[in-house]
Amino acid sequence: MKPVEFLAAMADTANRLDFDAHMNLISKEVSVYGVPGFEVITYNDWYKQSKYEFENKLLKKVSYQGLNILAETPERIMFKTVETVEGSDGSVNSNGIEFIIQKEEDGQWRVSQERVLPEDELASDRQRGAL
């Protein structure tokens, strides 16, 4: 799977509020770093937050822009992108994200690690034209 296809699936499942399909893109072993106030976010945290957001229709639109592949093997890809989440309340949050996706035993590609980029790293990536 190409990162652009994976991001399209992430956005599509979120935009359709298809909770089961969205969670099928997330590894049970996922770790998310860089979220203010949290040391690490686990699968259970992601599950609970997504269930709440989807059930309460808090998401209006999720989109991704830019793609910088950092490393790639047949089973694992590390890349950066910019994620924009528009809330149903009119809020818009945009963050640089570093993803590691991997092909798991069942053949499905899933997010195994995510890191929210600090503002200075995102600014540097943009300045270099990497995002």
Side-chain angles (χ1 to χ4, degrees), residues 9-23:
M10 287 283 286
D12 178 61
T13 57
N15 292 334
R16 288 187 294 109
L17 300 175
D18 187 336
F19 178 73
D20 291 334
H22 187 73
M23 291 310 298

Side-chain angles (χ1 to χ4, degrees), residues 68-88:
N68 180 13
I69 297 175
L70 304 171
E72 187 171 3
T73 69
E75 310 268 311
R76 213 172 156 139
I77 306 169
M78 176 187 235
F79 59 93
K80 290 181 180 180
T81 189
V82 177
E83 176 183 70
T84 301
V85 178
E86 297 177 44
S88 55

Side-chain angles (χ1 to χ4, degrees), residues 2-70:
K2 294 185 166 93
V4 69
E5 295 166 342
F6 186 83
L7 292 174
M10 287 283 286
D12 178 61
T13 57
N15 292 334
R16 288 187 294 109
L17 300 175
D18 187 336
F19 178 73
D20 291 334
H22 187 73
M23 291 310 298
N24 192 41
L25 298 171
I26 314 304
S27 174
K28 296 263 197 285
E29 307 303 317
V30 72
S31 297
V32 180
Y33 302 98
V35 177
F38 297 90
E39 187 156 330
V40 64
I41 291 174
T42 65
Y43 178 85
N44 286 339
D45 299 322
W46 192 319
Y47 183 96
K48 287 181 211 163
Q49 182 68 25
S50 294
K51 190 164 186 62
Y52 176 77
E53 290 174 350
F54 285 35
E55 284 179 352
N56 292 285
K57 297 180 172 51
L58 300 180
L59 301 177
K60 180 179 175 189
K61 184 179 181 196
V62 175
S63 60
Y64 296 93
Q65 289 184 307
L67 178 66
N68 180 13
I69 297 175
L70 304 171

